[in-house]
Amino acid sequence: MTTPLSEILRTMIKENGPISIGTFMALCLSHPQYGYYMAREAFGAKGDFTTAPEISQLFGEMIAVWIVLSWEQLGKPDDLQLVELGPGRGTLMKDIWRGLSTRPELRDKLQIQLVEFSPRLQTVQKENLAGLPVTWHTHFEAVHNRPTIILANEFFDALPVEQAIFHQDAWYQRMITADDEDFLFALGAPLQGITEYGMPEFSIFEYAPLATSIMQQLCDFVKKNDGALLAIDYGDDFPLEERFGETIQALHKHKMVDIFELPGESDLTAHVSFASLSAIANEEGCTALPLQTQREFLTQLGIRLRAEKLLASATEDQAKDLQLSLQRLIDPLQMGDLFKVLQVYSNDH
Ligand code: SAH
């Protein structure tokens, strides 16, 4: 199917030649006019996908508990700021703010910094977070130096990845070209730096240059200023040398579609390599805690107890809703095991 963006991409490829997978993904997600996050209502039943904070307030409340624990571990700095990367509709921050209402000694001085590159989503966030002490940025570079807790829920999976493809005993960058009807994959320049050989023909290795550089920047910041980082996403913990195969997927109205089918109108994501995020944290001198599943993390923070408390005063319908959303968040067959949680601290407090 053609979309306004598919026509732009086709013209671009005709004029300048094939583009890399990463360039394709970046344009699909963030083309100023037709990029997915710039133009489309992504979240919820009417959108294309649902995220943990959109499922239940329980999620944000548990993150609020984690923030209090981390703040205590950091020695209760009184100039703490809370940064969230890719806040979507602002729902997580709204629930966190309410969750922190029992801790005025933390909340009263807390400054919130949101990093969001979509002007449309910034507007949605401004509506949903009216009255909160929030500053918006389009890039993390603009965040000021001070003790900081950084949150990234379903942020890293939205960053463009590149793919290398193995052909006749060499690795090449995987590219995208186009004919009059469709987009097609193509071989690009040979790639140095991948040391695995003897792979089956057309094996694919995915790498994430933008996630890598953002993670380096975040950990460097946390190390210098003291702080912690929480990254929650769908992904895996495979060692990089065993991590072959492609994971890019496109979602449109809660269904998987081909990545070429609806450029700009389907959400493109890729599995996050948590082994690589943890390695970066350690290289930057921070401490990455052992990776947990979302189920382990939320259970440890007391999500079941909190749900029981809410159930005590819930109507029958609310109770049903609550139980279903608890299951969605922690059931191993739903988000519980696929979603992973990485905690990084500036030192071993
Ligand atoms: N955290 C939210 C939304 C996840 S969707 C939730 O859990 O519901 C990804 C979010 O990251 C969107 O808000 C998107 O606009 C933002 N985003 C994606 N890439 C970005 C980038 N490079 N810089 C800043 N924001 C980005």
Side-chain angles (χ1 to χ4, degrees):
M1 240 177 80
T2 59
T3 60
L5 187 61
S6 69
E7 293 317 293
I8 293 174
L9 293 172
R10 216 185 294 280
T11 310
M12 184 186 270
I13 290 170
K14 266 192 189 147
E15 285 171 4
N16 305 315
I19 54 177
S20 74
I21 303 275
T23 303
F24 176 82
M25 202 169 162
L27 287 167
C28 286
L29 293 175
S30 58
H31 181 277
Q33 200 178 351
Y34 299 114
Y36 181 77
Y37 284 114
M38 304 302 151
R40 197 171 156 89
E41 183 52 59
F43 309 97
K46 286 198 201 121
D48 301 303
F49 62 95
T50 304
T51 58
E54 301 295 334
I55 290 173
S56 168
Q57 68 182 73
L58 286 169
F59 184 78
E61 288 172 357
M62 291 304 107
I63 305 297
V65 172
W66 180 84
I67 290 169
V68 173
L69 293 173
S70 301
W71 172 65
E72 286 169 352
Q73 276 189 45
L74 293 167
K76 301 190 177 182
D78 63 9
D79 54 347
L80 184 80
Q81 66 187 352
L82 184 58
V83 174
E84 187 184 356
L85 306 172
R89 302 179 63 241
T91 308
L92 176 58
M93 194 51 80
K94 198 170 171 182
D95 292 337
I96 289 173
W97 188 253
R98 213 189 43 252
L100 291 178
S101 61
T102 54
R103 305 301 293 254
E105 71 279 26
L106 166 59
R107 197 177 84 161
D108 287 355
K109 289 189 217 135
L110 195 63
Q111 290 297 317
I112 301 171
Q113 315 276 325
L114 297 184
V115 179
E116 172 58 67
F117 73 172
S118 159
R120 193 185 70 81
L121 283 172
Q122 277 201 10
T123 306
V124 174
Q125 292 156 16
K126 280 175 187 155
E127 275 164 25
N128 287 335
L129 298 171
L132 271 59
V134 181
T135 311
W136 274 267
H137 308 284
T138 50
H139 289 88
F140 183 78
E141 282 81 11
V143 172
H144 292 298
N145 287 310
R146 47 193 179 114
T148 300
I149 287 180
I150 302 174
L151 306 174
N153 187 62
E154 293 212 39
F155 171 74
F156 282 103
D157 72 354
L159 302 179
V161 297
E162 296 284 359
Q163 292 180 343
I165 184 158
F166 195 71
H167 175 54
Q168 293 182 349
D169 225 29
W171 286 100
Y172 295 86
Q173 186 161 31
R174 201 175 190 207
M175 309 292 284
I176 292 172
T177 185
D179 61 18
D180 286 338
E181 273 153 37
D182 215 345
F183 293 102
L184 310 155
F185 290 110
L187 283 188
L191 283 177
Q192 313 296 322
I194 307 176
T195 50
E196 301 298 310
Y197 285 95
M199 303 293 297
E201 184 73 353
F202 301 130
S203 294
I204 287 174
F205 177 71
E206 242 171 42
Y207 54 105
L210 186 58
T212 300
S213 69
I214 291 181
M215 187 66 179
Q216 282 167 340
Q217 185 185 17
L218 299 176
C219 292
D220 178 57
F221 182 96
V222 160
K223 182 71 194 169
K224 279 196 194 127
N225 294 289
D226 224 17
L229 175 149
L230 183 70
I232 306 182
D233 235 304
Y234 85 125
D236 61 73
D237 200 16
F238 302 135
L240 281 186
E241 61 279 9
E242 292 168 23
R243 199 175 183 271
F244 291 98
E246 65 178 314
T247 73
I248 298 183
Q249 67 173 42
L251 269 186
H252 179 76
K253 299 194 172 156
H254 302 268
K255 286 209 180 74
M256 289 238 216
V257 295
D258 190 280
I259 65 165
F260 294 152
E261 199 174 315
L262 291 161
E265 293 174 17
S266 65
D267 181 41
L268 293 183
T269 55
H271 277 217
V272 173
S273 164
F274 280 97
S276 129
L277 295 187
S278 299
I280 294 167
N282 292 324
E283 279 159 22
E284 294 293 332
C286 295
T287 305
L289 300 195
L291 196 68
Q292 289 183 303
T293 62
Q294 181 164 296
R295 174 174 53 86
E296 290 164 339
F297 177 75
L298 293 177
T299 308
Q300 223 169 56
L301 290 170
I303 195 168
R304 287 178 193 278
L305 272 178
R306 176 68 187 143
E308 271 168 32
K309 223 176 189 173
L310 290 173
L311 280 172
S313 58
T315 64
E316 209 172 302
D317 280 353
Q318 286 169 335
K320 222 192 247 161
D321 244 30
L322 203 65
Q323 266 152 346
L324 277 178
S325 38
L326 177 66
Q327 286 317 308
R328 278 185 80 178
L329 293 175
I330 64 174
D331 189 304
L333 297 175
Q334 301 197 48
M335 294 178 85
D337 276 357
L338 179 61
F339 278 72
K340 312 283 192 293
V341 180
L342 176 66
Q343 300 177 52
V344 172
Y345 288 91
S346 44
N347 53 40
D348 18 55
H349 289 281

